[in-house]
Amino acid sequence: MIRPEDLLRPTPAGLYCPPGDFYVDPVRPVDRAVVTHGHSDHARSGHGAVLATDQTLAIMAERYGEDFTTLRQPVAYGETASHNGVEIKLVPAGHVLGSAQAVVSYQGLTMVVSGDYKRRRDPTCAPFEPVPCHVFISEATFGLPVFTHPPDGEEIARLVQSLGQFPERAHLVGAYALGKAQRVIKLLREQGWERPIYVHGALERLNRLYEREGVDLGPILPATGLKKDALGGEVAIAPPSAIQDRWARRFADPVTAFASGWMLVKARAKQRGVELPLVISDHADWPELIATFEEIRPEEVWITHGREEGLLRWAELNGTKARALRLVGYDEEDDEAPDERPD
């Protein structure tokens, strides 16, 4: 069996596979890329060839244009592709639509690159699937014990309760355009909210893509062309930047909300001027990270980005070999891509 560092190694461009001559989620244009999901800190344009799920390729085309790469290589969940003798399999990561873990196998060694992932049920994407492996390469966005997120349903129930308490006020929810916005919409529907949900223009194309992929979002209307002081008692969803922009001034005394795992930190909510913080994350929290490691039981854990020190300490205390890769170029939570700026 070869050494793990001979199969995947950190470079300034991202994780590189020397025998396969490809990168996983490279942060700069490369000849061959395996892309785990469509957020723009992981999925960038300009690569020569991109291997990803059909949904991730569709998201990249929607965001960057049809010519975002020279060659698309779609791989379904569970299907195995091969390059230079290195096998690559994609399995669900539970992060957003089309998100995948990259399972890389060569000469008896199996390494799993998680990309970004979560363990909670999400009605908009396939759930995370644990894969036995020698080395598990994990994100650590919320890799500290303080990050224990409440149930998503409880947070959405707080939003519905506020709508009942303040029927004269618009409720403006900041949510990232890819994944978080659609998840909030579906969770609202599950709480019985059947009225139209209004959306910022930056969300419309991705909402349509989710609908084409079979995710029914219910009645959606554009939050444009409205009279001043509009949408009292209604829900509008927009990129986080828009809720602090002049775009938000059209709404009736809005209750500003923000759906993010970082809303657990009161100082962050206060800094953003958020009246109704909703702790809803598309990343694993601390208990979920630890439960994943204990379930998979890899020989080694590599930490790619986020709160590395907490997980390294946990690994030390629990007799698990671990290292921090200290990769740069990945955002703390879901990034705001260019098409998510206010209109």
Side-chain angles (χ1 to χ4, degrees):
M1 186 184 300
I2 66 170
R3 300 182 307 168
E5 54 268 32
D6 292 332
L7 181 56
L8 287 172
R9 65 181 59 165
T11 74
L15 274 176
Y16 177 59
C17 177
D21 191 23
F22 61 81
Y23 292 81
V24 181
D25 290 348
V27 297
R28 62 182 66 168
V30 298
D31 288 339
R32 296 182 185 87
V34 174
V35 174
T36 61
H37 67 280
H39 282 132
S40 64
D41 56 339
H42 291 254
R44 302 170 192 251
S45 62
H47 304 311
V50 173
L51 184 152
T53 63
D54 275 318
Q55 294 94 339
T56 293
L57 293 171
I59 289 166
M60 293 179 74
E62 192 68 61
R63 291 187 134 182
Y64 303 127
E66 294 293 335
D67 60 349
F68 70 90
T69 184
T70 303
L71 176 65
R72 304 184 199 185
Q73 187 175 359
V75 176
Y77 287 138
E79 180 182 342
T80 299
S82 180
H83 190 74
N84 291 350
V86 177
E87 293 187 345
I88 308 154
K89 183 167 68 173
L90 301 181
V91 298
H95 181 55
V96 297
L97 181 70
S99 61
Q101 304 167 77
V103 183
V104 181
S105 301
Y106 184 65
Q107 294 186 0
L109 176 67
T110 297
M111 303 178 72
V112 174
V113 184
S114 73
D116 290 335
Y117 68 101
K118 68 174 179 291
R119 301 302 307 267
R120 302 190 183 199
R121 172 188 171 273
D122 183 338
T124 70
C125 67
F128 177 96
E129 292 183 10
V131 178
C133 57
H134 300 97
V135 180
F136 183 61
I137 303 176
S138 176
E139 62 140 315
T141 302
F142 293 109
L144 290 174
V146 68
F147 291 114
T148 300
H149 298 150
D152 308 331
E154 291 182 4
E155 297 300 284
I156 293 296
R158 292 175 55 238
L159 173 58
V160 174
Q161 181 182 33
S162 181
L163 284 157
Q165 290 175 329
F166 304 104
E168 74 286 356
R169 301 177 68 187
H171 282 62
L172 183 55
V173 182
Y176 296 105
L178 173 57
K180 187 68 65 63
Q182 296 79 23
R183 184 175 169 209
V184 168
I185 291 170
K186 285 294 288 184
L187 291 173
L188 271 167
R189 299 305 187 199
E190 292 182 349
Q191 290 274 351
W193 189 261
E194 299 178 352
R195 294 158 67 172
I197 293 174
Y198 295 80
V199 299
H200 185 282
L203 276 58
E204 291 179 358
R205 289 185 299 155
L206 287 171
N207 283 350
R208 288 195 296 269
L209 188 153
Y210 267 69
E211 292 270 7
R212 290 196 301 270
E213 293 292 332
V215 181
D216 182 9
L217 300 177
I220 303 291
L221 294 175
T224 54
L226 301 171
K227 296 180 180 179
K228 187 173 176 61
D229 296 334
L231 300 188
E234 306 292 347
V235 178
I237 299 180
S241 56
I243 67 173
Q244 297 175 305
D245 186 78
R246 61 183 181 181
W247 179 88
R249 297 174 191 168
R250 70 191 74 181
F251 302 105
D253 186 22
V255 174
T256 57
F258 183 19
S260 168
W262 294 111
M263 290 298 95
L264 194 64
V265 181
K266 292 181 180 179
R268 291 213 179 196
K270 184 177 180 181
Q271 183 182 27
R272 284 182 170 264
V274 175
E275 183 176 346
L276 181 62
L278 302 173
V279 184
I280 301 174
S281 176
D282 283 331
H283 296 257
D285 65 5
W286 173 264
E288 292 163 348
L289 290 166
I290 300 307
T292 301
F293 298 165
E294 292 177 338
E295 182 177 9
I296 296 174
R297 295 191 176 278
E299 295 175 5
E300 294 186 42
V301 174
W302 293 3
I303 313 302
T304 57
H305 57 282
R307 271 63 188 166
E308 301 164 340
E309 293 78 10
L311 291 176
L312 289 174
R313 178 60 175 163
W314 177 89
E316 179 184 358
L317 293 174
N318 287 272
T320 300
K321 187 176 180 180
R323 61 177 289 195
L325 300 185
R326 308 195 188 283
L327 295 177
V328 298
Y330 303 99
D331 288 348
E332 283 188 324
E333 200 175 1
D334 306 322
D335 65 314
E336 287 195 65
D339 62 353
E340 296 178 39
R341 293 171 184 158
D343 64 5

